Amino acid sequence: MKVTINDVAKLAGVSIKTVSRVMNNEPSVRQDTVDKVMAAVKQLQYQPNAAARNLASSKSYSIGYVYDNPNAYYIIDMQNGLLEACRKHGYELLIHPTNAKSTNIVNEVLDLVERSRLAGLVLTPPFSEMPELAAELDKKGIDFVRIISGSTPSDKLKNCVLIDDFTAAFRITNHLLDQGHSKLAFLCGDEEHSSSGERLAGFKAALTKRGITLNDDYIIPGTYSFESGVQGAQTLLAMADKPSAIFACNDEIAAGALFCARLSHINIPAQLAIAGFENSPFSRQTWPPLTTANQPNSIIACQAAELLFKACKQTSANANFEQPVFVPELLVRESTRA
Amino acid sequence: MKVTINDVAKLAGVSIKTVSRVMNNEPSVRQDTVDKVMAAVKQLQYQPNAAARNLASSKSYSIGYVYDNPNAYYIIDMQNGLLEACRKHGYELLIHPTNAKSTNIVNEVLDLVERSRLAGLVLTPPFSEMPELAAELDKKGIDFVRIISGSTPSDKLKNCVLIDDFTAAFRITNHLLDQGHSKLAFLCGDEEHSSSGERLAGFKAALTKRGITLNDDYIIPGTYSFESGVQGAQTLLAMADKPSAIFACNDEIAAGALFCARLSHINIPAQLAIAGFENSPFSRQTWPPLTTANQPNSIIACQAAELLFKACKQTSANANFEQPVFVPELLVRESTRA
DNA sequence: ATATTAATGACTAGCGCTGTCATATCGATA
DNA sequence: TATCGATATGACAGCGCTAGTCATTAATAT
C-alpha cells in the first residue's frame, strides 16, 4: 500500500542513502545504479513523501503563483503552463490570487513564502513589475521568475521571461497601415502595466517609421477592461475628425470598442477597423472576429517554471539565467480586413 | 526567525503537546490554558509547519480541486471560492485539471489523493457525476464533496451542494413565454453533464405548464461550446418554420447562436430572442447583452469547501451532511427584451 | 601490483509535529 | 478528609525522509 524509500532500496538492492541520492539527482552515482533504482521506483510506483522531504530538507517542492488579474483566460493558461512544468519536475503549484494594490503586498508575499515554505515564486504583472518586491525577495534569497513585458534581455531582468509586446504591437500597427488606414487611434490599458506602455511604444514606432503624424488626441488612457473600451471608443467616435482604425491594448478593450461601435451603428470594419491583443477565446467569437496578437501564455508560463526550477537548483552565486523572449504573433481576422 | 511549537510552549509555560492540542482544537484543554497558548501564538506569530504536521499525522491540510472544464471563468470563480474557505480554515488548495474522459480517471484521482496526502476532494461536473468515482472514494474512506445539478436533497446525494438548474431554466423559459414567444428552441450542452438535462427538463416543464406543445425538432443536441451554438443556430435558422426564441444551455452556446444570427442578418431580439445560462462576464458584453441566469459559483464553491472541512472533522459514522441548494437567478437583458 | 579516485553503505541525528499512554490535577461525593 | 472518576497535562517515541560522517568497496590510473 504505502511504499517507502526502504522498499525501493530493498528491491533495488542498494542502501536507502543511494535511493535518496538518486531521487535528489545528486552526482557521483553510477548510471547503472541510477537505472536499477529508477526501475524499482517505477515498479513500486514509489512517490517520495513530500511532507517528509520538506521537513527533512527544510525546503519544499512547491512553487507559488502570485497573481492579480481579472482575465480568467490568462490565469487559466498560466496555471496550466505552470502545472505542466510542475508535474514534470514533481513540484506542486500553490496559487495565490491577491490584491496587488494592498499596502503591504511585499510582506504578504514574504509571509506566503515562509508559511508554505515555497521553493520559489512565479510573478506575473503587476507583481513582476514591482522593483521593491524583487529587491526584497532577492534580499531574502527567495528564488523567483518574472514574466514581464520587454524586448531586450538585460542584466536588470536577470530572472525574467520576456514578452515582446513592442514588436507585436509594431506589427499590428503595420497591418493597420497596410490596410490603408492613416488615422489610427490607440486605447491604452492600465498605466501601471508596462505591457500597455510597450504596446503603445510599438504603435508609435510603426507610425513614425511610415512617416505618419501621430494625433495625440487619438491616444486614450484607460484600463484593461471592456468598460474602458466602451468609454474610449465613445470618446473617439464623438470627435469631429474620427479615426478610421482603433488599436486596443487588449481584446477586452477591443470588445468594448466593438460594442460601442455597434451602439452607434458603425460598420466594422468598413467604417472602422478594430484590433485587439492577446487572442482571448472570445476574440474569435465577437462579430466580426477580432484581429489580435497571439500570446502563448501556457508555453510562456511553462518556460518560466522551468527557469525557476533551474534557479532553485543552482546557488545564487553561479546563477546564469537565460532570458527567453516571446513575440506574440499577428492574427488577422475580419475586424480589420478591408 | 523560525518559530516552532517549542518556542510557543516555553513562552506559554506549557508542554508542546498542550500547544499542539490547542492548535488542533482538541477538547479537554482548560480555557485559561487555551488563552495562554493563543496569546503566545499571537505574540510570536507562530505558524505551524504544515510539512511536519502532515508527516506526523499522516494526513494533510490540503484539499484537491479536480476539474475538467473549458470555461475559464467558471474555474476561476470556483477556485476563488475554494481558496476563500481554505484560507479561513488554514488549508491549502491543490488544483488538478485533468481529462475527464481518460480511461482510468478513477485511479488517477486516487493516486492524486494518496500522493499528495489530500484531506479531501471537491468535485465539479463531470467528476461529481461519476458514480464509480464516488463509490471508489467512499470505499477508500476519502472525504469529498460534489457540486452537482439537482433540486431535491436526497440520501443518494449525501455530500453534495446542489444547483437547481431545473428551476432556473423553468424561470428563463417562463420569461421567454411572457415575452409572447411560443416557438421555443433549446440548444443542449454536453449530454454527460447532468446540468444540460436538468435545464432541458426545466424548459420542458415550463412549456407543459403553459400548455404549449413542444416541437421536438427544436431541441438540438450539442456541447457547451461556442461552436456548438453556431451550429445549433444554423440548424434552427435553416428550418422552414423557424423558432422565435432560443434558450441556450449556457452563455457560450448563446454567444455562438448570436454569432450565427448575425451572420444571417437576423435582428436580435426583434426577430429572434436568445437566452443563455451562467452569467459569464462576456454575456454582458455581447451585442445585444444576453439574458441569462446567474450562478454564484464562488459562493457555491466556498460552501462546498466548508462542507468538506466539516466532513473531514467528523467520523464517517456520524456524518450528517447538509445539502445546500442554490437556485441561479434570472437576469433579463436585451437579447430577449421585446 | 599499487596508488588514487569514485561509488556506495552503515550509522546517526534531526526536521516539527502528533499519537499513545502514563501521570497529575480537579471537583464531587461518601 | 479520604476516595473516586473525570478531566487536564506531560514524557516520549516516531512519522519518512535528508544530510553529514566515516568506513568500505569498486573502478581507474600509474
Side-chain angles (χ1 to χ4, degrees), chain B residues 279-327:
Chain B
N279 190 28
S280 320
F282 66 78
S283 68
R284 283 184 296 113
Q285 306 178 352
T286 54
W287 181 259
L290 283 169
T291 288
T292 189
N294 181 47
Q295 218 170 285
N297 288 319
S298 89
I299 296 173
I300 293 172
C302 189
Q303 276 257 359
E306 294 275 1
L307 228 58
L308 181 57
F309 298 142
K310 258 187 219 167
C312 292
K313 270 176 196 144
Q314 58 194 204
T315 52
S316 49
N318 66 356
N320 172 28
F321 283 106
E322 308 141 57
Q323 290 171 59
V325 179
F326 290 88
V327 184

XYZ file of all heavy atoms in Angstrom, chain B residues 279-327:
378
model
N -24.341 33.442 -16.660
C -23.865 34.800 -16.413
C -22.350 34.903 -16.476
O -21.699 35.418 -15.565
C -24.372 35.308 -15.063
C -24.111 36.791 -14.877
O -24.049 37.528 -15.868
N -23.950 37.214 -13.647
N -21.773 34.401 -17.532
C -20.349 34.630 -17.770
C -20.150 36.126 -17.981
O -21.045 36.799 -18.457
C -19.879 33.934 -19.044
O -20.457 32.693 -19.173
N -18.972 36.616 -17.664
C -18.713 38.040 -17.870
C -19.062 38.490 -19.290
O -19.603 39.555 -19.492
C -17.217 38.158 -17.610
C -16.915 37.048 -16.679
C -17.861 35.933 -17.023
N -18.752 37.654 -20.268
C -18.980 38.129 -21.635
C -20.453 38.159 -22.012
O -20.815 38.707 -23.039
C -18.182 37.309 -22.662
C -18.611 35.879 -22.779
C -19.761 35.535 -23.486
C -17.869 34.875 -22.196
C -20.155 34.225 -23.594
C -18.265 33.558 -22.300
C -19.408 33.230 -22.996
N -21.313 37.594 -21.168
C -22.735 37.632 -21.510
C -23.261 39.072 -21.431
O -24.284 39.392 -22.020
C -23.539 36.718 -20.587
O -23.566 37.215 -19.271
N -22.558 39.935 -20.714
C -22.937 41.352 -20.671
C -22.311 42.106 -21.820
O -22.604 43.263 -22.061
C -22.445 41.986 -19.356
C -23.280 41.636 -18.153
C -22.777 42.380 -16.923
N -21.420 41.979 -16.564
C -20.365 42.778 -16.634
N -20.484 44.018 -17.026
N -19.172 42.316 -16.297
N -21.365 41.445 -22.476
C -20.536 42.162 -23.443
C -20.835 41.772 -24.877
O -20.177 42.236 -25.800
C -19.062 41.916 -23.119
C -18.754 42.258 -21.670
C -17.323 41.995 -21.281
O -16.560 41.417 -22.052
N -16.946 42.416 -20.091
N -21.789 40.901 -25.040
C -22.194 40.599 -26.410
C -23.124 41.714 -26.857
O -23.550 42.551 -26.072
C -22.969 39.272 -26.459
O -24.047 39.331 -25.534
C -22.074 38.099 -26.108
N -23.453 41.682 -28.121
C -24.412 42.660 -28.620
C -25.564 41.932 -29.275
O -25.353 41.259 -30.260
C -23.768 43.647 -29.585
C -24.796 44.618 -30.024
C -25.474 44.619 -31.206
C -25.310 45.687 -29.261
N -26.371 45.629 -31.225
C -26.307 46.306 -30.046
C -25.050 46.185 -27.982
C -27.034 47.391 -29.583
C -25.774 47.274 -27.544
C -26.750 47.869 -28.343
N -26.756 42.042 -28.778
C -27.087 42.701 -27.508
C -26.702 41.819 -26.329
O -26.498 40.623 -26.512
C -28.604 42.847 -27.606
C -29.032 41.718 -28.476
C -27.932 41.475 -29.447
N -26.611 42.393 -25.134
C -26.268 41.593 -23.959
C -27.279 40.470 -23.755
O -28.452 40.617 -24.071
C -26.338 42.608 -22.820
C -26.114 43.923 -23.469
C -26.731 43.822 -24.829
N -26.794 39.379 -23.208
C -27.604 38.164 -23.098
C -28.434 38.075 -21.818
O -27.926 38.312 -20.717
C -26.691 36.937 -23.109
C -26.104 36.480 -24.434
C -25.040 35.426 -24.174
C -27.209 35.931 -25.332
N -29.660 37.707 -21.983
C -30.455 37.273 -20.838
C -29.885 35.932 -20.379
O -29.540 35.078 -21.198
C -31.919 37.097 -21.254
O -32.488 38.389 -21.456
C -32.716 36.345 -20.195
N -29.761 35.774 -19.085
C -29.092 34.571 -18.589
C -29.525 34.289 -17.147
O -30.403 34.960 -16.621
C -27.554 34.748 -18.700
O -26.904 33.539 -18.435
C -27.071 35.826 -17.753
N -28.922 33.292 -16.533
C -29.193 33.015 -15.128
C -27.871 33.069 -14.383
O -26.865 32.531 -14.845
C -29.827 31.646 -14.956
N -27.878 33.734 -13.267
C -26.642 33.919 -12.524
C -26.409 32.809 -11.508
O -27.209 32.582 -10.608
C -26.664 35.255 -11.791
C -25.380 35.483 -11.042
O -24.306 35.290 -11.606
N -25.485 35.857 -9.775
N -25.287 32.175 -11.662
C -24.889 31.090 -10.780
C -23.765 31.625 -9.903
O -22.689 31.921 -10.416
C -24.337 29.987 -11.677
C -24.663 28.605 -11.282
C -24.253 27.668 -12.401
O -24.896 27.573 -13.431
N -23.147 26.998 -12.206
N -23.956 31.753 -8.625
C -22.907 32.348 -7.786
C -21.820 31.331 -7.494
O -21.713 30.814 -6.387
C -23.667 32.744 -6.523
C -24.810 31.795 -6.448
C -25.130 31.343 -7.838
N -20.988 31.089 -8.493
C -20.041 29.979 -8.400
C -19.086 30.061 -7.222
O -18.813 29.043 -6.584
C -19.252 29.874 -9.698
C -20.106 29.342 -10.811
O -20.901 28.425 -10.607
N -19.990 29.936 -11.991
N -18.603 31.267 -6.953
C -17.578 31.289 -5.918
C -18.217 31.049 -4.542
O -17.605 30.432 -3.667
C -16.775 32.586 -5.987
O -17.354 33.577 -5.209
N -19.451 31.491 -4.383
C -20.141 31.221 -3.116
C -20.441 29.727 -2.984
O -20.258 29.126 -1.923
C -21.445 32.043 -3.035
C -21.111 33.527 -3.009
C -22.256 31.646 -1.814
C -22.317 34.434 -3.107
N -20.866 29.157 -4.082
C -21.145 27.724 -4.093
C -19.892 26.929 -3.727
O -19.914 26.022 -2.891
C -21.654 27.291 -5.490
C -23.033 27.915 -5.748
C -21.713 25.777 -5.615
C -23.545 27.724 -7.161
N -18.781 27.332 -4.333
C -17.527 26.620 -4.087
C -17.106 26.759 -2.630
O -16.647 25.794 -1.999
C -16.443 27.158 -5.007
N -17.259 27.950 -2.119
C -16.880 28.209 -0.736
C -17.686 27.311 0.208
O -17.133 26.667 1.109
C -17.121 29.682 -0.435
S -16.485 30.226 1.132
N -18.960 27.232 -0.036
C -19.839 26.359 0.752
C -19.390 24.902 0.648
O -19.387 24.166 1.635
C -21.262 26.446 0.206
C -22.038 27.600 0.744
C -23.021 27.139 1.807
O -23.112 25.947 2.115
N -23.738 28.084 2.382
N -19.061 24.521 -0.553
C -18.645 23.137 -0.769
C -17.415 22.824 0.077
O -17.335 21.777 0.741
C -18.355 22.904 -2.251
N -16.465 23.748 0.068
C -15.250 23.526 0.845
C -15.567 23.470 2.338
O -15.039 22.622 3.068
C -14.239 24.627 0.548
N -16.430 24.356 2.772
C -16.811 24.356 4.183
C -17.397 22.998 4.575
O -17.089 22.437 5.625
C -17.849 25.461 4.453
C -17.333 26.879 4.270
C -16.636 27.407 5.516
O -16.551 26.668 6.505
O -16.146 28.558 5.476
N -18.220 22.513 3.717
C -18.835 21.210 3.948
C -17.769 20.127 4.040
O -17.828 19.237 4.896
C -19.778 20.895 2.782
C -21.159 20.424 3.149
C -21.849 21.462 4.003
C -21.973 20.149 1.897
N -16.808 20.237 3.161
C -15.734 19.249 3.143
C -14.949 19.285 4.454
O -14.635 18.241 5.030
C -14.802 19.523 1.960
C -13.639 18.561 1.781
C -14.128 17.130 1.641
C -12.799 18.949 0.576
N -14.655 20.475 4.929
C -13.894 20.583 6.170
C -14.671 19.969 7.323
O -14.109 19.285 8.178
C -13.547 22.042 6.469
C -12.680 22.667 5.428
C -12.857 23.977 5.046
C -11.684 21.923 4.805
C -12.057 24.550 4.071
C -10.873 22.485 3.825
C -11.067 23.807 3.463
N -15.952 20.221 7.312
C -16.795 19.606 8.337
C -16.699 18.088 8.244
O -16.548 17.387 9.251
C -18.251 20.025 8.139
C -18.697 21.105 9.099
C -20.196 21.355 8.954
C -20.497 22.828 9.077
N -21.844 23.184 8.644
N -16.796 17.605 7.037
C -16.749 16.158 6.817
C -15.429 15.580 7.306
O -15.388 14.502 7.899
C -16.931 15.854 5.336
N -14.342 16.314 7.067
C -13.033 15.830 7.476
C -12.979 15.679 8.987
O -12.281 14.817 9.505
C -11.940 16.803 7.043
S -11.713 16.900 5.268
N -13.671 16.548 9.680
C -13.559 16.560 11.132
C -14.381 15.473 11.800
O -14.050 15.009 12.873
C -13.954 17.937 11.667
C -12.736 18.839 11.745
C -13.071 20.238 12.173
C -11.896 21.158 11.851
N -12.331 22.482 11.430
N -15.460 15.113 11.173
C -16.284 14.108 11.817
C -15.975 12.720 11.248
O -15.497 12.578 10.135
C -17.766 14.431 11.674
C -18.238 14.552 10.243
C -19.615 15.210 10.178
O -20.330 15.009 9.233
N -19.963 15.983 11.202
N -16.230 11.728 12.055
C -16.032 10.379 11.555
C -17.167 10.071 10.588
O -18.262 10.601 10.705
C -16.095 9.370 12.715
O -17.304 9.598 13.436
C -14.925 9.560 13.643
N -16.868 9.230 9.642
C -17.876 8.955 8.617
C -19.142 8.368 9.248
O -20.229 8.488 8.712
C -17.307 8.000 7.581
O -16.704 6.913 8.226
N -18.957 7.748 10.409
C -20.096 7.126 11.078
C -21.207 8.134 11.363
O -22.344 7.963 10.931
C -19.650 6.476 12.380
N -20.823 9.191 12.048
C -21.848 10.145 12.439
C -22.009 11.278 11.430
O -22.436 12.366 11.752
C -21.545 10.707 13.829
C -20.270 11.531 13.817
O -19.593 11.602 12.789
N -19.960 12.148 14.934
N -21.610 10.997 10.213
C -21.692 12.005 9.161
C -23.121 12.514 9.035
O -24.065 11.750 8.993
C -21.229 11.418 7.838
N -23.224 13.804 8.976
C -24.552 14.393 8.946
C -24.509 15.598 8.027
O -24.307 16.715 8.441
C -24.963 14.804 10.359
C -26.246 15.587 10.355
O -27.084 15.417 9.469
N -26.377 16.465 11.317
N -24.649 15.315 6.767
C -24.424 16.353 5.778
C -25.649 17.210 5.530
O -26.759 16.716 5.403
C -24.009 15.729 4.460
C -22.593 15.292 4.459
C -22.270 13.958 4.542
C -21.577 16.231 4.381
C -20.952 13.558 4.540
C -20.259 15.830 4.370
C -19.949 14.498 4.459
N -25.382 18.493 5.436
C -26.400 19.377 4.883
C -26.297 19.272 3.360
O -25.289 18.857 2.822
C -26.115 20.816 5.270
C -25.898 21.025 6.754
C -24.795 22.029 6.986
O -24.909 23.145 6.483
O -23.812 21.662 7.661
N -27.323 19.716 2.708
C -27.268 19.765 1.248
C -27.795 21.104 0.770
O -28.951 21.226 0.404
C -28.089 18.639 0.641
C -27.471 17.270 0.848
C -28.404 16.172 0.440
O -28.845 16.089 -0.687
N -28.733 15.312 1.378
N -26.933 22.102 0.770
C -27.381 23.428 0.360
C -27.848 23.384 -1.097
O -27.280 22.663 -1.913
C -26.123 24.289 0.476
C -25.066 23.438 1.061
C -25.510 22.018 1.030
N -28.894 24.137 -1.381
C -29.394 24.208 -2.754
C -29.318 25.654 -3.235
O -29.787 26.562 -2.545
C -30.862 23.734 -2.832
C -31.371 23.835 -4.267
C -31.002 22.314 -2.315
N -28.716 25.855 -4.372
C -28.632 27.197 -4.944
C -29.489 27.282 -6.200
O -29.381 26.432 -7.076
C -27.193 27.531 -5.315
C -26.293 27.731 -4.135
C -25.636 26.654 -3.556
C -26.115 28.997 -3.595
C -24.803 26.837 -2.465
C -25.290 29.185 -2.503
C -24.630 28.114 -1.929
N -30.322 28.302 -6.255
C -31.118 28.499 -7.474
C -30.561 29.691 -8.236
O -30.656 30.826 -7.760
C -32.598 28.755 -7.149
C -33.401 28.860 -8.437
C -33.154 27.668 -6.257
